[in-house]
Each structure stands twice: as C-alpha cells, then as structure tokens.
DNA sequence: TCTTGAGTAAATGTATACTAAAATATTCAA
DNA sequence: TTGAATATTTTAGTATACATTTACTCAAGA
C-alpha cells in the first residue's frame, strides 16, 4: 500500500482494532469511518478489504464489515498453521543463519535471563519488566524468522500472530482472565527459557531437525497454554458458534 | 465474494490468467478490462485487489496491475511454504483421517497404478491418460488435505499451488521445455508412485511423524524437479531480477 | 547524436451521485 | 396487544466525473 488515502484509512482502522477500540464483532460502517478519518468511502472500502485479507476484518456482501470474530475451530486452525510454519522456519534458520542472526538471538536470550529472574524474585508484577521481557521474546522469534531467509513465510507467521493477538490480546480478555494469564505465564517462565535455549543451541549447531522439533514443542506448549486460558476466560469472542438446533433452547 | 459484478470481474480475469491468455508480466488495465467484461472500473479494481491477495496479480500504486511474475527467490519461498504446510498437513491427516478419507486416497492410488503402467509401456504419450493421471494425483493430495481437517491450511496450500501453476504451468513454458517436462515426469513416475504408497501407509497406520516425513520428501522431490526444469527452460518469467549495476551491460 | 526538459496523453486514485438491498420503524387489522 | 404488511431509512454496491501522477513524445541545445 502506498496510496496516500487508502493507506491512511488502513493504518487508522488497523491501529484501532489492534488497540481494542473496536472489539471483535463490532460492525465497521464505511460512512462513519470515512467521516472519522476524513476521506471518502472508496479508500475506506479498500482498507477494509485489505484488512479482511489480513484476517482482522470479515466482510459479508451487502451486510458490511465487522471486526473478525474467531471461533474455536478457526483458532485451532490458525495455531496448527503456526506450528507448521514456525517449526519449519526454525529448521531453515539452522541451515541459513548468519553470524548476525545468531548474535541477535543471543542478545535476546542474554537480556531475558535477568528479567525473568527479577520477576521470579519480586512479589509484585512489574509491568515495565514484563513488557521488556515480551519485547526480547519477540526479538528472539523475529531473529529466527529472519534467519530462515524466507520473507513470505515471515510475513504469513506475522499475520497469524496478529490475528491471535486480536482474539486473545488484552482487548479480548476480561480482567480476571488477564490476571490469570499473568500468573500462568509466571509459572511457565522457567520452561519457556529452557525451550528458547534448546532452540538456540540447535540453530547455532546447524542441526535443522533438532531446531524444527524444539520449536514445534515450544509453539505447541504456548498454544496449549493460551487455549486453556481462553477456555477458562469464557471469552465471548472465542465462543463456539451455536447450531440452529441448539438455538432452540434459548427459552 | 458474492457481489455480483465484482464476482463477474474476478472470475473472468482469474480464468484468463490461469488459462494463459494473460501471460506473466502482462499489464492489466482497469478500463480495458471494464469494457471487456461490461462493468465499471470499481468492481474491476476490487477483483484485481483480490487477485493480488491470491498472488496471481501484482499491483504497484499509480502504476497499475500486471500478471504476477515470480522471480527465483519468491519461487523458492513458495516452495518452502509448500513443504512446511503439506508435510504438516500429512502429519495431521494421520491423526484425523476418517474411513472416507482413506477410501478416497486408496481410490486415487488404485486408479493411478494402471494409468502409470500404460504410460510406461506405450511409446507415444497419450494426453488423455496423462490428464487422467494428473486428476488422480490431485485427488490423492486433496484427500490428504481434507483428512487433515484444517480448512485454512487447505486453502493456503491451494493458493500456493495456483501461483506455481501460473509461473510453471503450460502457459509459462516454451514448447521445448514442455516436452522435456513430460520426459522427466515419465522417468520419475515410478518413484512418485512409491512415494505415494509410503505416504498412504503412514497415514493409514496413524503414524503422524512418518506421514509428515514421507510427504516432506515427496514435495521436495517434486519441487527439485520443477526447479531443474525451469532453470533449463530459461523461462522468462522465472528470470532473476537484474540489478541496476547489471543493466549497464545491455549494449 | 545524445541528453534534457517541457508538454501531452493515459491511467490510476478519489470523491460523489445513483441504485439496490437489507434493516428498522410504522401502520393497520385481527 | 400482537402480528403482519408496508413504508422509511440506512448502508453497501456501482457508475462516473474529476484530480493527480506517471510515462512518453518531440523538440531544442550541447
């Protein structure tokens, strides 16, 4: 995208969705958005179609656009795609990684150690430390995607991440679920660190099969955790779609 | 898509691209297309944007749309994605396959045996037999994707296949390359059959790891063959993009 | 002859008016 | 009061006019 107004609309709507200003299911009316952004309906339509491709918006012909609501089936499918792509990417990274790639991964790991330790010792959760930890976690994963030397794959993985973020991110979670998520993350922090280490060792050693396997386990465990969390959170956006049959019991 | 006119335009352009009427690199002018199809520019623009998502068209802002030309780097990336997704899908299929799925795979294999044998015996290539063989090959792979019970993954694999078909399909090949492709395919037919058999055995036995591995090898060998063929074919559409530096030698 | 630059043509991006379909409100009868 | 039929409103799809940018042509000068 580089069409000034379409770009404007795209970035505006995208930011607001990722921000949680428009919650999953909320309808996105082109005219309202065009007034809000200050462009005509045409670039807004373009932006919504692009966002549909990104998986953040769903468009039903003649009925308009709304923020994508992911049901359990789709969530599972997205997760399976992530396992397939991220583990394969780790395998490629073990073959194609440069010294710079390895240095970036090592930097992230070195940075995470003290941060993780600090959280384990402290009684209270420190948001700054947590966000720093998340940043380094992302850095580690991005470094691997970069090392795999496959832009298409990197882009697709990023796309899937963003969809998951919209449905399982802060915006889509209740307050209770959010604190519980923090607790679980805290408990599993040590195992995450160990998994990162073994992924890094395999990539560093150039052992493609081992890297692939280690990453597969890692992503799978992350997914298992978030699925468990979301089920408990009774998140509206993750609710299974009820069949016509089941809807008969609404009395 | 279900907007009558956008749909009309989308199907029209898509068919012509897959048909080879518009070759890779050909520019697609919205006004020409709108006259040809008999709708206004708006639905044509929608269709072109959708086709860009499909990976069949590339749009450069202000410069218009053209049929996608895939360079060697992108081709490699698409192939790597296919290996990642199709092998993972085979692994899932080994877990989730139903009796109907297995029956469909077995049907395809049973149908391929005599067809393959007939081609090996006959001196002359029989187009009808070849297209029947391709149909059963597709049936086998589709059955596996279906058995994996992941629509998102199935759709993405199908998308990647179509892109490969446009750049490496009959339309994108010279006559010489086409006959050579046939010869190579003939030589490798036996090994393809053996690979199919071992994939089927693993899925049937519910051995996820084995199915994954067998499919990975199978796709990789298919890709290796087509890469070799295309390199030899000196296909314009697969040509590496020349740098500014290199363009200085055009005298 | 080659390069440079103004001018022109062509095609895309954008805004808007029009059309059609879906959702909502209203009316009237049972 | 309820329910169905109808009218109104809203909103998306489409066509088209206008604005903007790019590419191309052709002439003038080095």
């Amino acid at each position: 995208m580089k069409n000034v107004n379409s770009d404007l609309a795209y970035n505006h709507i995208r930011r607001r969705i990722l921000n949680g200003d428009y919650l999953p299911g909320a309808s996105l009316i082109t005219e309202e958005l065009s007034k809000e952004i200050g462009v005509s309906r045409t670039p807004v339509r373009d932006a919504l179609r692009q966002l549909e491709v990104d998986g953040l918006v769903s468009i039903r012909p003649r009925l308009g656009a709304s923020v994508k609501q992911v049901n359990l089936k789709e969530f599972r499918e997205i997760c399976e795609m992530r396992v397939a792509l991220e583990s394969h990417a780790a395998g490629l990274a073990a073959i194609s990684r440069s010294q710079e790639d390895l240095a970036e991964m090592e930097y992230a790991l070195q940075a995470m150690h003290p941060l993780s330790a600090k959280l384990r010792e402290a009684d209270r959760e420190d948001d700054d430390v947590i966000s720093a930890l998340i940043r380094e976690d992302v850095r580690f994963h991005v470094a691997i995607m970069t090392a795999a030397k496959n832009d298409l794959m990197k882009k697709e993985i990023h796309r899937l991440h963003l969809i998951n973020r919209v449905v399982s991110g802060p915006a889509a979670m209740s307050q209770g679920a959010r604190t519980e998520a923090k607790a679980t993350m805290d408990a599993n922090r040590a195992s995450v660190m160990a998994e990162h280490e073994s992924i890094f060792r395999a990539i560093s050693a150039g052992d493609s099969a081992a890297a692939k396997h280690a990453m597969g386990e890692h992503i799978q465990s992350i997914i298992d955790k978030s699925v468990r969390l979301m089920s408990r959170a009774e998140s509206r956006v993750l609710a299974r779609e009820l069949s016509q049959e089941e809807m008969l019991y609404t009395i």
Side-chain angles (χ1 to χ4, degrees), chain A residues 90-136:
Chain A
L92 292 173
I95 297 165
S96 310
R97 81 282 185 280
S98 68
Q99 283 303 318
E100 286 75 32
D101 295 326
L102 287 174
E104 181 83 356
M105 292 175 214
E106 200 159 16
Y107 177 94
L109 287 184
Q110 299 288 346
M112 283 177 87
H113 268 303
L115 290 168
S116 184
K118 195 180 283 182
L119 279 178
R120 232 172 302 140
E121 286 160 21
D123 286 349
R124 224 196 151 288
E125 298 279 302
D126 185 340
D127 281 343
D128 286 347
V129 176
I130 288 175
S131 64
L133 196 61
I134 290 174
R135 192 182 60 237
E136 297 308 322

Side-chain angles (χ1 to χ4, degrees), chain A residues 157-227:
Chain A
I157 291 168
H158 192 65
R159 190 182 77 88
L160 296 171
H161 268 262
L162 278 185
I163 300 173
N164 275 5
R165 185 174 142 194
V166 168
V167 295
S168 70
M173 271 192 183
S174 66
Q175 182 58 44
R178 223 174 309 171
T179 45
E180 193 177 342
K182 271 187 185 173
T184 310
M185 276 168 77
D186 195 42
N188 290 108
R189 211 156 271 143
S191 65
V192 165
M193 292 299 296
E195 286 163 13
H196 280 183
E197 288 288 352
S198 76
I199 292 167
F200 176 69
R201 268 198 306 274
I203 292 176
S204 186
D207 188 340
S208 179
K212 199 167 162 179
H213 184 259
M215 180 62 93
E217 298 282 307
H218 179 52
I219 302 289
Q220 192 64 58
S221 85
I222 291 173
I223 287 168
D224 286 347
K225 279 172 214 158
S226 57
V227 167

